[in-house]
Each structure stands twice: as C-alpha cells, then as structure tokens.
Amino acid sequence: MLKRKGLYTLLMSMILWASSTATEAAVIKKREFRGAWIQAVNGQFQGMSKSEMQRVLTYQLNELQRDGVNAIIFQVRPECDALYQSQYEPWSKFLSGRQGLAPNPYWDPLAWMIEECHKRGMELHAWINPFRAKTAGTKELSNNHVAIKHPNRVFSYNGQLILNPALAENRVYICNVVNDIVRRYDVDGLHIDDYFYPYPAAGFTIDDDREFRQNNNGITNKGDWRRDNVNIFIKQLSDSIHSAKPWVKFGISPFGIYRNKKSAPQIGSDTNGLQNYDDLYADVLLWVNNGWVDYCVPQLYWQIGNKAADYETLIKWWNKYASNRPLYIGEDIERTVKYQDIQNPSQNQMPAKYALQNRMENVQGVVLWYAKTAVDNIGNYGTNLRTNYWRYPSLQPRMSFIDDKAPKKPKRLKKVWTEDGYMLFWKAPKGKHWDDVAHKYVVYKFDHDEEININDASKIVEITSKTYTKLPYDDGTKKMKYVVTALDRMSNESKIAKKKVKL
C-alpha cells in the first residue's frame, strides 16, 4: 500500500512537473523581438550568382518566417566594404568574390532584402562592423578602400586592419557611411556587433602610443582613454542615426561578459572570461544607462553549466543591470542543441534556456546565431520555434523613449468578393508625421460570441503592411469577428476596428 501510494505520488509529481515545464516553455508573448543574424563574412554568399543568392535568401526568409522570426539582422559591411551601392566603400568580396567588383548582373542585396523582409512583415536591421577594415583572410584591398587611401588611419593587429578609434576622422567617416545607409534605405534598424578594439591575441599589441601621447584628453590611463574613444563614437553614431531618421533603432550586440567579479567585485558577474570593459574597451552599461543605444543583445553563446561563463548566471546578470533599454538575448543554436539539459539529460538545453528567458522580467526577445542553423533545423530547433515557442505572430517591443503615441485606427473595413477570393479591405488612417502614420496592421480573428481581447496573441492572424487580408471562406455558415489595428513605425498600436463575417 505504501509502495503504491509512493508510486502514485511520484507519477503525479512527474505529470505536474511536465505540465508546468510545457506551460512555461510555451509562454505566449504578444510583443517580442524575434531576430536572426544573416552574416556574409563566413563566405556563404561569396561568388554566388544573383539568381542563386536570391534563391538561397528567399528560402531562408521563408523558413524563418514560418519559424516566427520578425526581424532580420543582415550583414552589409564586414570590413569597410559594402553589400549595397556605396559612394564611400567598395563592393564586398563576400558578394562578388573580389573586393571592388560590382555584382554582374547588377543588383543591390540590401535594397532587395529590405523589400523581401517587409513584404513578410519582418524588420530589416542593417548590420555593420564599424572599425574592422580588413579580416585576416582578405589578401587584396580595392584601390578605393579606406585603408589604401588613408593607411595612416589604420593599425594592423593579428592579420587584421583596424580603423583607429582614437582618430576623430575615423569616427566621422563611420558616421557618414551609416548616414548614407540610413538616409537612402528604408532600414528599420542599424546594428553593430562586438568588434571595437580587437580581441586580444597573444604576442600582439595595439599600436596607438603616438595617439595617446598627442590626444589623450587629459586621461592618464590608456584603458580609460580607449574606452573614452569608443564612448565618444557610440554617442556620435547614435545622434547621427536619430538625426537622420528618429525611428531607426540603433542596436548593439556586445560580447556576453561585461566584467568578471574578480575585476569588479561590486558589479562583475561570477564568470571567468574575456571582458567587454577591460579587454575590448567597450563600456556597454554606460551606453545602455545613458540611452545611447535603443536595444542591447549580449551574446550569451555558452551553455547552462559552463564553468567559465554559465548561461544562467549571465542572463540573470544582464537582466539585472541592463534594463534601461530593451534587452534581447543572443542565442547560439548549435551550442544550445549540443548540450544536454542538466535537469533532464534526455533533451537538449533549448527548453531550459527559454524557460529562463521567460522568467527574466527585462528580457524582451531573442536573436538567433545564426539564421542558417535555424533554417537547417539543427536539433529540431526550427521545428520547436514554429510549433511551440514562436507559433503565433508577435509585435515588436515598444520603445516609448522614441515614440509612445499610437496612430489612429483603420477606417472603412469592407468585405469584398474578388477573383482571388473573399477579402477584407480597410483604409489607412490619416497621419501627418512619421510618428502618427500607420506603417503596419495587425489582424485578429475571434468567434462571434467571443469577447474581443487583443492582448491574446493567439488571436493574431497576420501582421502586414498591406491594407487587406484574405478571409478563409468555407461554406459561409461560421460567424466570426475580425479586428484590425494600425501600428506606427515604433509598433504603437491603435484602437480597434472590427467587422463581422461569415466564413
């Protein structure tokens, strides 16, 4: 009797545990940044024809859309070059195969990606590497490359060339490049990663003694001076972006450790690895707390239980200290599915990581490193996104510090039979300025006797830039209510417009 009772208790405990785990893993969020990095520097597109690259990117975007991704971070400047038409920098070798050689037949990957992402309801964030002028693998630079035209403005380090952050002309130059992108292209964001001063390499030193002597701004510690150089740049770039287009989001993806506790006992994390502040001279918390960036994506690429940099330790640290701006988590898909869940070795760490994210009150999204691994469905990661974690569409997180005023609601909802089927049309509301013009629309569907609750993300049918949606007509006997709201560029949502339909 005691054994049977004990077994029953154990079974009930297991059922409750499994139920609570599944519920936690499948939290439905109406607003969440669901990004994916598409990089060029790994050479995945190098030398591809226009048609082949567009075919590959189309497939990736379609799969990512099915996975629930709502933002693409697309690398357009790996080494002071361009995967777009630039007046400042040469065409990238990671596109045509040779730096300075335009694609033939001509096309503009950035312009094409913006159009393709927007028609799928995705944001497009243009990703640049600000200071890296040459990767170690590049052997030839174009005659119009900044390192050829101005060799005195770069220093070499471990096979790379780096635009010297100490030089004001380099900071101005990068801002001009970014301004050109922001003004000419309808990007939703401008994104930089973790490369400022170079990652330390044994046997190499940064050659900036002369600049430190000549222009140290009264700062006596070289580390503090290097951080000040990067701080000046970040503030300058932020101001430059927002003066051109206030709605373009400026995001940064820093290395996953700010400082170790042994370097900074009061604020450091209980980790033992390379540090943003001390090794890359990147004071990320200063930028976040001063509002110089609009979102932050620390690269938490380690597994739960990593001895040097435990994922759980780090997500809790960033959640605590980096809450002044929207916080998204950079996730390494390959490492996530490679390692077993510590508590449940029969599965990988994806459920445990998403459960942790859901418990962090300041974490508002995830960015996947990298897009192709989700598309390739390594460890069923993509399947789990589309069937569980991201199975419903999601709006972008609010950024009220940029704009918090909602647009007016859509007008004149109308049911129309067309040659393409039964459609619901509406009119865009009036708006005069960028912050009150409708940019997208959210379409919800409810049963006829169901209370309208637009906070229920499971009722979202579509997030679209179009002013119509196709209705799933069957036999005309099922009564439903459709609700449409308008979103501005900062995803502020209008009041509802509704229409009864029979499907």
Side-chain angles (χ1 to χ4, degrees):
M1 183 69 180
L2 286 174
K3 288 184 179 180
R4 292 177 63 186
K5 184 177 181 181
L7 179 61
Y8 174 80
T9 302
L10 176 62
L11 287 172
M12 287 304 297
S13 297
M14 291 176 66
I15 291 169
L16 289 172
W17 176 85
S19 176
S20 65
T21 302
T23 302
E24 186 173 38
V27 169
I28 300 171
K29 298 180 181 180
K30 180 177 174 178
R31 290 183 180 270
E32 187 174 27
F33 191 90
R34 301 172 177 175
W37 282 291
I38 296 181
Q39 82 277 42
V41 74
N42 67 343
Q44 67 170 320
F45 307 122
Q46 189 167 325
M48 275 189 181
S49 67
K50 172 184 176 180
S51 60
E52 178 65 7
M53 184 170 169
Q54 289 184 353
R55 184 194 67 78
V56 169
L57 285 170
T58 297
Y59 175 72
Q60 289 188 6
L61 293 177
N62 287 342
E63 291 300 295
L64 292 168
Q65 183 183 23
R66 294 187 186 103
D67 288 343
V69 169
N70 62 18
I72 297 296
I73 301 176
F74 181 54
Q75 189 175 32
V76 299
R77 184 183 184 262
E79 50 178 1
C80 292
D81 54 357
L83 276 85
Y84 64 96
Q85 180 66 56
S86 172
Q87 62 176 310
Y88 292 98
E89 298 184 318
W91 284 100
S92 177
K93 78 164 190 179
F94 297 110
L95 177 63
S96 63
R98 180 181 177 184
Q99 191 176 94
L101 182 65
N104 184 22
Y106 173 85
W107 71 298
D108 187 321
L110 176 57
W112 186 87
M113 281 290 286
I114 291 169
E115 181 179 354
E116 292 297 312
C117 286
H118 285 177
K119 75 183 185 183
R120 290 171 174 81
M122 297 173 170
E123 290 192 346
L124 189 286
H125 293 225
W127 163 21
I128 73 162
N129 303 86
F131 291 104
R132 187 173 63 198
K134 184 186 83 67
T135 61
T138 295
K139 306 304 179 185
E140 181 184 10
L141 296 177
S142 173
N143 288 335
N144 66 330
H145 189 277
V146 63
I148 299 297
K149 294 168 65 177
H150 304 285
N152 59 316
R153 284 166 48 182
V154 301
F155 60 77
S156 61
Y157 189 91
N158 194 21
Q160 305 173 83
L161 292 177
I162 309 295
L163 286 177
N164 193 335
L167 300 179
E169 54 264 48
N170 282 338
R171 299 192 291 263
V172 170
Y173 173 75
I174 298 167
C175 288
N176 287 339
V177 169
V178 169
N179 246 322
D180 179 53
I181 294 172
V182 170
R183 290 184 184 278
R184 290 194 298 117
Y185 293 90
D186 188 21
V187 295
D188 301 286
L190 194 288
H191 184 89
I192 62 177
D193 53 22
D194 50 328
Y195 294 100
F196 301 99
Y197 281 90
Y199 274 67
F204 293 91
T205 57
I206 296 172
D207 182 13
D208 60 358
D209 288 345
R210 182 184 62 181
E211 289 80 11
F212 182 53
R213 289 194 305 269
Q214 294 177 350
N215 188 24
N216 59 28
N217 298 320
I219 300 173
T220 58
N221 179 278
K222 185 178 276 192
D224 290 340
W225 171 73
R226 287 174 179 167
R227 275 184 289 275
D228 188 58
N229 294 331
V230 179
N231 292 340
I232 292 170
F233 164 72
I234 294 294
K235 177 64 164 63
Q236 185 176 349
L237 182 59
S238 177
D239 290 344
S240 178
I241 292 168
H242 292 132
S243 65
K245 289 181 179 176
W247 60 87
V248 172
K249 304 167 184 176
F250 176 33
I252 179 169
S253 179
F255 184 73
I257 299 173
Y258 176 67
R259 302 191 79 184
N260 299 312
K261 186 171 288 186
K262 66 181 181 182
S263 300
Q266 299 300 317
I267 197 173
S269 54
D270 191 12
T271 50
N272 183 27
L274 184 133
Q275 305 163 101
N276 275 292
Y277 185 93
D278 303 84
D279 301 314
L280 303 177
Y281 306 100
D283 192 352
V284 182
L285 286 194
L286 179 72
W287 312 338
V288 169
N289 290 329
N290 284 351
W292 296 348
V293 296
D294 298 321
Y295 67 86
C296 180
V297 193
Q299 298 170 18
L300 304 192
Y301 290 169
W302 303 276
Q303 73 273 23
I304 298 170
N306 184 288
K307 292 180 179 179
D310 173 49
Y311 179 95
E312 183 170 357
T313 296
L314 284 166
I315 195 172
K316 290 178 178 178
W317 187 93
W318 285 97
N319 180 71
K320 179 178 179 180
Y321 289 105
S323 61
N324 198 46
R325 283 293 182 262
L327 173 64
Y328 316 140
I329 301 301
E331 289 286 342
D332 185 308
I333 292 176
E334 288 182 312
R335 294 189 205 179
T336 296
V337 301
K338 174 183 177 181
Y339 289 98
Q340 295 175 329
D341 185 338
I342 294 173
Q343 303 299 324
N344 184 3
S346 65
Q347 63 185 18
N348 65 41
Q349 291 197 354
M350 186 180 187
K353 285 188 173 183
Y354 276 75
L356 272 172
Q357 293 163 17
N358 291 335
R359 292 201 294 271
M360 300 298 112
E361 66 273 17
N362 295 316
V363 171
Q364 300 181 50
V366 174
V367 183
L368 305 175
W369 178 256
Y370 48 99
K372 188 176 183 300
T373 54
V375 171
D376 291 344
N377 199 26
I378 293 176
N380 287 322
Y381 198 100
T383 297
N384 285 327
L385 287 178
R386 68 178 64 181
T387 60
N388 188 14
Y389 302 108
W390 293 355
R391 67 186 184 274
Y392 299 111
S394 182
L395 283 64
Q396 296 292 338
R398 291 187 181 91
M399 292 188 176
S400 57
F401 49 88
I402 295 178
D403 169 42
D404 62 356
K405 182 182 177 183
K408 294 180 179 178
K409 68 181 182 180
K411 302 186 299 182
R412 302 176 190 171
L413 269 65
K414 187 177 181 181
K415 303 166 289 185
V416 178
W417 277 100
T418 73
E419 60 183 13
D420 294 322
Y422 198 27
M423 311 291 286
L424 179 66
F425 289 90
W426 58 86
K427 294 282 188 180
K430 291 183 178 180
K432 295 182 179 179
H433 305 290
W434 72 265
D435 56 352
D436 59 14
V437 171
H439 185 60
K440 294 179 183 177
Y441 302 91
V442 188
V443 181
Y444 303 83
K445 183 171 71 172
F446 299 90
D447 289 335
H448 76 283
D449 57 352
E450 187 178 6
E451 182 180 355
I452 293 174
N453 176 18
I454 64 171
N455 291 319
D456 183 353
S458 69
K459 301 300 179 181
I460 297 176
V461 174
E462 185 181 17
I463 300 172
T464 178
S465 58
K466 304 187 295 287
T467 54
Y468 60 88
T469 191
K470 187 172 182 179
L471 298 171
Y473 183 83
D474 185 15
D475 57 7
T477 61
K478 191 170 185 179
K479 296 179 180 179
M480 305 296 294
K481 290 182 291 193
Y482 270 73
V483 167
V484 183
T485 61
L487 300 175
D488 63 16
R489 283 190 174 269
M490 302 314 302
S491 289
N492 295 305
E493 189 173 18
S494 75
K495 295 180 180 179
I496 68 170
K498 58 185 178 179
K499 194 73 174 179
K500 295 179 179 179
V501 298
K502 288 184 178 180
L503 303 176

